[in-house]
Amino acid sequence: MSIEHFSWWNIVPSLVGGLMSAASAVGMFYLAQRTERKKREAEGRRKSAQAAFEGFWKLRAIAAGQINLNREITDQYIEARLSGAEDMLPANKVLGILGAPNGYEHLASSEYLFLIKQRKAELIAEIDLVVRRAMNNEVSAQKYNELRIDFEEFIAKNADFIAPHAGTRASVELKGNAGSIADIKISRLNNLLGQIEEHLDEDCKNSKKVVEEFLMAARAEFGEDFPKFKFEWE
């Protein structure tokens, strides 16, 4: 009867093979994990870039709205001068502020999160101010339109004399109590219009500046992930 002697050398190849297989499996696992992590990071970066893009278009709409508001008021002053109504009160030159409400809204935190990463606290504060100013101007413009309509209806019912100018403006005459009420109404209109105009030039400049700085920061942050487009002010 023969006795076989145990030898480690007989199992070394199996052990080495098993270790190599285990090492290969571990390596593949970590490689798969790393690949998946990179995919998640890339997807998260694309989503952040898209959110920043949406924030940019909100700011652009706000800036465009302020510019259009300023242009519309200026155009009515020009029209009044050309039609011979230059000596009229401001509220008799600006007959109304056209356009549907823009419905401005604050940026979501996800839309400017990258600015926090870049430590641009000052730009974030400027964005908030620009949005608030635009909201205030829009509310004031709507209120002006309401008061202007109310004033025109009052004049139509109570005027003793109406002398039309070229275009859509007219000189009116009211007597007694109706004249006093008309003076109060036109005074309210002039005051409100003055409030709108007081900072409107500055609001336009600030909103354009904020849009340009936001766009520059977003492109620097996201590079190829940020949508490519040519941006110019109309």
Side-chain angles (χ1 to χ4, degrees), residues 65-111:
Q66 299 307 284
I67 293 168
N68 289 337
L69 175 61
N70 195 32
R71 181 186 297 124
E72 184 175 350
I73 292 173
T74 300
D75 287 348
Q76 292 196 60
Y77 278 121
I78 294 172
E79 183 185 346
R81 176 172 54 81
L82 295 176
S83 65
E86 189 169 6
D87 293 334
M88 284 186 169
L89 293 171
N92 283 330
K93 297 176 184 178
V94 181
L95 302 180
I97 302 173
L98 304 177
N102 292 287
Y104 300 131
E105 58 184 83
H106 288 281
L107 270 64
S109 59
S110 60
E111 294 170 341

Side-chain angles (χ1 to χ4, degrees), residues 69 72-73 76 91 94-101 137-153 188-189 192-193 196:
L69 175 61
E72 184 175 350
I73 292 173
Q76 292 196 60
V94 181
L95 302 180
I97 302 173
L98 304 177
N137 288 339
E138 182 171 56
V139 170
S140 296
Q142 292 174 2
K143 184 63 177 179
Y144 183 85
N145 285 339
E146 293 172 6
L147 293 177
R148 196 69 180 68
I149 291 171
D150 175 71
F151 177 72
E152 290 172 358
E153 291 176 347
R188 290 181 65 190
L189 279 166
L192 183 54
L193 182 59
I196 295 172

Side-chain angles (χ1 to χ4, degrees), residues 100-137:
N102 292 287
Y104 300 131
E105 58 184 83
H106 288 281
L107 270 64
S109 59
S110 60
E111 294 170 341
Y112 64 84
L113 188 61
F114 72 98
L115 294 177
I116 299 175
K117 179 181 176 182
Q118 293 182 358
R119 299 182 179 180
K120 293 185 179 294
E122 185 176 343
L123 179 55
I124 294 172
E126 289 176 354
I127 288 170
D128 182 68
L129 178 60
V130 161
V131 176
R132 290 182 187 278
R133 286 292 309 159
M135 289 177 170
N136 289 341
N137 288 339

Side-chain angles (χ1 to χ4, degrees), residues 2-3 8 14 56 91 96 98 101 116 129 143 150-152 171 176 203 222 228:
S2 62
I3 299 176
W8 284 103
S14 298
F56 163 77
L98 304 177
I116 299 175
L129 178 60
K143 184 63 177 179
D150 175 71
F151 177 72
E152 290 172 358
S171 294
D203 291 338
F222 299 109
K228 293 180 177 60

